[in-house]
């Protein structure tokens, strides 16, 4: 981002409680409503990763709501261990500049060796959904 864009650009950060299944769709729906009210804003939606099912549903919901996004997931504990604890985190960025995806992916990749558990096993996943 350049200085002019930073001075005139709104940033919305959403961190739902993720206590119920409904929280996963509500977060995506909230992003869509906020972007309708402020189309030039960048929205960032954080989500926990314990398995891929709910994060994939959340990203599908953003697609259904017509939101282009880039999502970067950092998994620091292998999901195949099937533990109920947090295995990683993801960020979906809606409406950000094109550079945000590569920069977040680079940062996540750099952090992975320091955060990975179980012999350094972990992964970074990047999902891009351009605006239709």
């Amino acid at each position: 981002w350049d200085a002019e864009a930073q001075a005139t650009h709104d940033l919305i950060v959403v961190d739902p409680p993720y206590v119920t299944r409904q929280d996963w769709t509500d977060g995506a729906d909230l992003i869509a409503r906020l972007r309708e009210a402020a189309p030039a804003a960048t929205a960032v939606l954080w989500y926990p990763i314990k398995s891929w099912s709910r994060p994939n549903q959340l990203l599908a919901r953003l697609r259904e709501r017509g939101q282009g996004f880039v999502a970067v997931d950092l998994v620091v504990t292998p999901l195949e261990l099937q533990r109920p604890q947090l295995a990683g985190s993801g960020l979906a960025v809606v409406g950000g500049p094109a550079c945000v995806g590569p920069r977040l992916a680079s940062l996540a990749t750099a952090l992975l060796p320091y955060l990975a558990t179980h012999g350094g096993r972990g992964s970074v996943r990047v999902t891009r959904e351009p605006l239709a």
Side-chain angles (χ1 to χ4, degrees):
W1 291 315
D2 61 30
E4 182 179 328
Q6 288 177 358
T8 61
H9 205 82
D10 294 324
L11 177 66
I12 301 164
V13 179
V14 179
D15 180 7
Y18 298 110
V19 174
T20 67
R21 284 183 164 226
Q22 188 65 40
D23 291 336
W24 290 84
T25 55
D26 288 350
D29 292 346
L30 176 61
I31 293 290
R33 288 194 311 272
L34 291 170
R35 296 259 306 144
E36 287 170 5
T42 297
V44 178
L45 177 62
W46 175 86
Y47 50 92
I49 301 172
K50 295 181 181 180
S51 73
W52 286 123
S53 60
R54 290 192 182 171
N56 288 343
Q57 290 170 358
L58 178 131
L59 298 178
R61 183 65 172 200
L62 284 172
R63 272 186 215 98
E64 290 169 11
R65 295 297 307 259
Q67 301 300 308
F69 64 86
V70 61
V72 177
D73 302 315
L74 175 60
V75 177
V76 297
T77 300
L79 293 174
E80 64 267 14
L81 296 177
Q82 297 182 354
R83 301 169 62 201
Q85 290 85 11
L86 187 68
S89 295
L91 288 177
V93 180
V94 180
C99 66
V100 76
R103 287 184 180 179
L104 283 175
S106 177
L107 178 60
T109 301
L111 288 173
L112 184 60
Y114 301 101
L115 301 176
T117 62
H118 294 81
R121 291 173 38 215
S123 63
V124 174
R125 177 178 84 160
V126 178
T127 307
R128 288 181 180 83
E129 180 69 24
L131 280 173

